């Protein structure tokens, strides 16, 4: 009544301590492979960093979220990579977003996993066995290059631990993901 009966989306405020993603690949045979869960750090509503591993106190939530994500993939009959973002809440994980595709929060898997999300997506949709998703370093940070962050890519490459990916976008503008850099850390 307060808005005159017009269509609307109503959202409640959610008290959460952070966000993390469950990244999984589901094969044609129903097999599921999951990567370590990244903690997602947002700035201005845009994913700024994905950090592996998530904070220690989220451990039980991650186990529950993984089971939920596998159930979602199975219920949808999804084949390929699926990213499910969760809020870490006091009462357990709460689904925030579902992305039925390779996802920016999993770009770190290119350098930091035995098999990346991209390779496992191709394996899944072509009926090949899923690859090993183990993480190759104790800690990983993937930092999105947003807008003119990309202007200093030569300085990024001066860091021998940095793996730079530029997306080849012609126009650079504020808020646009232009690339990312991944660092495998001890």
């Amino acid at each position: 009544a307060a808005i005159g009966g017009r269509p609307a989306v109503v959202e409640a405020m959610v008290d959460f301590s952070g966000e993390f993603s469950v990244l999984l690949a589901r094969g044609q045979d129903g097999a599921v492979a999951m990567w370590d869960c990244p903690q997602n750090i947002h700035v201005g509503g845009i994913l700024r960093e994905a950090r592996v591993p998530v904070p220690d106190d989220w451990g039980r939530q991650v186990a529950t979220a993984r089971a939920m994500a596998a159930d979602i993939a199975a219920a949808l009959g999804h084949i390929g990579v699926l990213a499910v973002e969760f809020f870490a809440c006091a009462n357990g994980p709460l689904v925030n977003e579902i992305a039925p595709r390779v996802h920016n929060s999993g770009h770190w898997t290119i350098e930091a996993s035995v098999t990346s999300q991209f390779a496992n997506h191709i394996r899944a949709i072509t009926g090949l066995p899923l690859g090993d998703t183990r993480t190759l370093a104790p800690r990983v940070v993937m930092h999105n290059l947003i807008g003119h962050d990309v202007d200093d890519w030569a300085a990024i490459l001066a860091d021998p631990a940095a793996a730079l990916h530029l997306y080849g976008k012609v126009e650079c503008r504020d808020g646009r993901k232009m690339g990312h850099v991944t660092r495998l850390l001890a």
Side-chain angles (χ1 to χ4, degrees):
I3 61 170
R6 290 176 290 197
V9 174
V10 178
E11 295 180 341
M13 293 298 293
V14 175
D15 185 19
F16 64 98
S17 57
E19 184 190 81
F20 63 94
S21 294
V22 173
L23 304 160
L24 66 82
R26 184 169 181 272
Q28 291 179 6
D29 60 357
V32 173
M34 293 187 188
W35 289 267
D36 285 336
C37 293
Q39 176 186 13
N40 300 327
I41 309 297
H42 293 86
V43 175
I46 300 172
L47 180 66
R48 175 56 78 174
E49 285 187 354
R51 300 176 186 169
V52 176
V54 298
D56 289 340
D57 59 336
W58 293 3
R60 282 193 1 221
Q61 294 208 24
V62 165
T64 300
R66 285 173 167 249
M68 291 170 66
D71 288 347
I72 290 167
L76 294 173
H78 183 76
I79 306 299
V81 169
L82 178 73
V84 183
E85 294 179 352
F86 289 88
F87 290 133
C89 301
N91 294 330
L94 176 66
V95 174
N96 175 38
E97 180 181 337
I98 298 172
R101 56 179 167 73
V102 294
H103 193 259
N104 189 228
S105 66
H107 284 0
W108 60 272
T109 65
I110 297 168
E111 285 80 29
S113 293
V114 173
T115 308
S116 75
Q117 67 172 344
F118 298 96
N120 258 347
H121 182 73
I122 297 302
R123 287 173 176 235
I125 65 173
T126 59
L128 295 171
L130 299 176
D132 185 346
T133 56
R134 278 180 296 134
T135 302
L136 300 171
R139 291 186 316 117
V140 180
V141 175
M142 187 278 302
H143 184 87
N144 273 323
L145 301 173
I146 299 169
H148 289 281
D149 291 351
V150 75
D151 292 348
D152 205 14
W153 61 268
I156 293 168
L157 288 176
D159 176 357
L164 177 65
H165 296 266
L166 300 176
Y167 300 158
K169 296 178 180 178
V170 176
E171 183 184 352
C172 182
R173 58 181 190 265
D174 293 340
R176 187 173 197 196
K177 292 176 189 165
M178 301 299 294
H180 71 272
V181 58
T182 302
R183 291 180 174 86
L184 282 63
L185 306 168

